[in-house]
Amino acid sequence: MYFLTDELVFPPVENANVEGLLAVGGDLSPERLLLAYQNGIFPWFDNDSIILWWSPDPRMVLFPNEIKVSKSMKKVIRNKQFRLTKNTCFEKVLEYCSSVPREGQDGTWITEAMKTAYIKLHKNGIAQSYEVWEKDKLVGGLYGVDLGHVFCGESMFSLTSNASKFAFIKLAEELFLKEYKVIDCQLHTDHLASMGAKEIARKDFMAILK
């Protein structure tokens, strides 16, 4: 196991164990976080743990042109049930992502330290939020780290049916037009798979990233 020090450096991702755990310790400074994402690494831990850094193999990704939009979602989009904004209330999105319960999950990995870190990244123009509104109510959204050619999705939430799906579809459409290579979804979920995301080998993800 690799223990990080104050030095801004990570071990090669090939050193991760079978679960994808690469290193422990360090801090959540904007500089270290950006370096991590640029090297295919992300933090994931809870309040009772030291900082854990991961680079799983395989890696769950969505190629923007492969987004799947169901018939029911096409109807939602046609009916203009939702509207989308970007970076208008990053901290609210972050708070909802940390507090809205998810099926099969007990608690949250978005600790207070994580919130502070990503707010700093947002102020530096690196972390982005997409907000979904129904009339004047915030009902869904997502946030992630924008590397300019790869968008590293971190978390999303829904207060009403289909709101997070709408955010994810609109994100994919925007990134496709901007010729982004891929959306990093990190780990497999059935929800992401149903929308077109798939697992690829870590070495292939790293090639895209570099």
Side-chain angles (χ1 to χ4, degrees):
M1 181 56 60
Y2 192 93
F3 290 86
L4 299 180
T5 65
D6 291 338
E7 185 182 6
L8 280 178
V9 64
F10 285 98
V13 294
E14 293 79 13
N15 290 9
N17 68 15
V18 67
E19 285 84 20
L21 181 61
L22 177 66
V24 301
D27 55 47
L28 295 171
S29 67
E31 295 81 10
R32 190 183 297 274
L33 279 172
L34 181 57
L35 180 66
Y37 285 104
Q38 288 171 337
N39 286 277
I41 303 161
F42 59 88
W44 185 31
F45 60 101
D46 58 36
N47 278 316
D48 300 322
S49 169
I50 60 175
I51 302 173
L52 305 176
W53 301 91
W54 302 80
S55 185
D57 187 14
R59 189 79 166 220
M60 192 73 166
V61 302
L62 174 77
F63 295 96
N65 64 316
E66 295 182 2
I67 185 74
K68 291 182 180 177
V69 184
S70 66
K71 289 182 179 179
S72 60
M73 277 307 300
K74 287 178 180 177
K75 183 177 180 181
V76 167
I77 294 168
R78 276 199 312 271
N79 291 344
K80 298 183 179 179
Q81 178 181 346
F82 302 124
R83 64 181 177 90
L84 187 82
T85 58
K86 184 177 177 181
N87 294 323
T88 64
C89 52
F90 181 87
E91 293 185 31
K92 281 187 179 180
V93 171
L94 195 62
E95 188 61 39
Y96 274 124
C97 284
S98 72
S99 61
V100 174
R102 290 176 178 80
E103 185 178 350
Q105 289 188 18
D106 182 18
T108 180
W109 58 270
I110 306 174
T111 64
E112 290 304 314
M114 290 283 268
K115 291 177 188 176
T116 299
Y118 284 96
I119 288 169
K120 287 180 181 178
L121 273 186
H122 175 65
K123 289 178 178 177
N124 289 344
I126 298 166
Q128 312 278 333
S129 65
Y130 289 72
E131 306 95 18
V132 179
W133 305 83
E134 190 168 23
K135 297 181 179 178
D136 292 324
K137 183 182 178 183
L138 180 65
V139 294
L142 60 83
Y143 76 96
V145 174
D146 191 340
L147 298 179
H149 67 304
V150 171
F151 186 91
C152 305
E154 275 299 313
S155 187
M156 53 186 168
F157 78 96
S158 245
L159 299 181
T160 191
S161 181
N162 296 320
S164 63
K165 286 183 180 179
F166 181 81
F168 194 57
I169 290 166
K170 291 300 179 182
L171 170 69
E173 290 176 348
E174 176 186 328
L175 298 186
F176 173 71
L177 292 174
K178 290 182 175 179
E179 298 184 349
Y180 275 53
K181 302 296 185 184
V182 76
I183 299 170
D184 175 25
C185 303
Q186 299 177 349
L187 300 168
H188 178 276
T189 69
D190 292 340
H191 173 65
L192 290 168
S194 72
M195 298 189 72
K198 62 186 180 184
E199 291 182 323
I200 63 172
R202 181 175 56 211
K203 63 180 178 60
D204 294 334
F205 174 71
M206 295 301 295
I208 294 169
L209 197 59
K210 296 298 182 182

